[in-house]
Amino acid sequence: MHNIVILISGGGSNMEAIVNASRREDWERNYHAKVAAVISNRADAPGLILARTNGIAAEFVEHGRFASRSLFEAQLADAIDRHAGSKQPVLLLLAGFMRILSADFVLRYEGRIVNIHPSLLPAFPGLHTHRRALESGCKVAGATVHLVTAALDCGPILAQAVVPVLDGDTERSLAARVLTLEHRIYPQAIAQMLQRQCAWDNRGDASKGFA
Ligand code: GAR
């Protein structure tokens, strides 16, 4: 079984969309993959409760308790690898995970870390994407699923989708419209990756990866 680990920092609605898709589409049977754990860098992330309600192991590694990024990331990697079982996680999914990961950490899971960002990258990387899209007078907004590299919000794009920006939109209304889109494209992109991985597994070609 390929174990997927999801990292969150907040509400966890993307995480829940992925868990729901994994059950609806029977990823265990079809792709030999399952969501094994959800890990938050915040103890009070509502997504932790949501994960447990969905029967998924959930824990936190609070970044604020560590003296340095590397100590935090070492603890985070321990937690991830513990849930990954005998192997590394097949995929490490960032779903509203709001910490920047170091190049060393990204290298450790190279080609297996995926993120969703609430803009049409390469437009508006970083924070306050919806505010910046509104301030720029954009007529469309959207979301991007991409592989994570050491450069922030810059990795190869796996999926994108677009929504209109409407007259009178606020940050909140635009964010809500984009989030609905995220819940559709993130699970779809992951299912496609698992499908490819499964095809390579079936051919016995262990050298292939996601990258
Ligand atoms: C989502 O909009 C996600 O794209 C964004 O945080 C939100 C998390 O919502 N992520 C980023 O901004 C990462 N740079 P959720 O916790 O309900 O999934």
Side-chain angles (χ1 to χ4, degrees):
M1 185 61 60
H2 293 310
N3 284 352
I4 297 168
V5 176
I6 304 182
L7 303 187
I8 63 166
S9 296
S13 69
N14 275 293
M15 172 275 296
E16 193 178 40
I18 292 164
V19 169
N20 286 343
S22 76
R23 289 179 177 162
R24 199 175 51 240
E25 298 164 11
D26 204 349
W27 289 2
E28 281 203 44
R29 192 165 64 88
N30 292 321
Y31 311 132
H32 314 296
K34 65 165 196 220
V35 178
V38 171
I39 303 172
S40 170
N41 64 307
R42 303 181 61 103
D44 60 355
L48 286 174
I49 296 166
L50 199 56
R52 291 188 192 113
T53 308
N54 278 285
I56 308 285
E59 65 179 89
F60 54 85
V61 180
E62 279 188 297
H63 64 274
R65 288 180 182 267
F66 297 88
S68 68
R69 184 186 300 276
S70 62
L71 288 173
F72 163 63
E73 289 184 348
Q75 194 68 34
L76 184 62
D78 274 357
I80 291 166
D81 293 350
R82 189 160 21 85
H83 288 290
S86 56
K87 297 182 278 192
Q88 279 211 335
V90 65
L91 285 173
L92 182 58
L93 306 181
L94 312 187
F97 183 71
M98 304 305 280
R99 301 301 297 173
I100 291 175
L101 296 168
S102 72
D104 281 347
F105 187 92
V106 172
L107 191 64
R108 181 183 179 113
Y109 302 105
E110 196 179 17
R112 295 163 183 270
I113 314 182
V114 183
N115 182 42
I116 187 151
H117 185 74
S119 79
L120 292 169
L121 291 173
F124 311 124
L127 297 175
H128 310 303
T129 53
H130 305 301
R131 184 189 311 167
R132 288 153 65 208
L134 290 171
E135 283 170 359
S136 302
C138 291
K139 298 299 182 196
V140 292
T144 304
V145 179
H146 66 97
L147 279 178
V148 173
T149 59
L152 181 68
D153 297 334
C154 274
I157 292 174
L158 302 170
Q160 279 184 316
V162 175
V163 289
V165 177
L166 303 178
D167 288 346
D169 254 339
T170 60
E171 262 186 81
R172 184 189 282 255
S173 65
L174 183 55
R177 192 173 313 117
V178 171
L179 193 60
T180 304
L181 194 66
E182 294 180 41
H183 296 162
R184 185 158 53 78
I185 67 168
Y186 206 2
Q188 275 174 1
I190 299 312
Q192 282 168 6
M193 293 180 83
L194 292 171
Q195 208 167 7
R196 272 202 305 278
Q197 175 72 50
C198 216
W200 289 323
D201 283 354
N202 289 342
R203 270 187 255 148
D205 191 348
S207 67
K208 298 283 187 192
F210 292 117

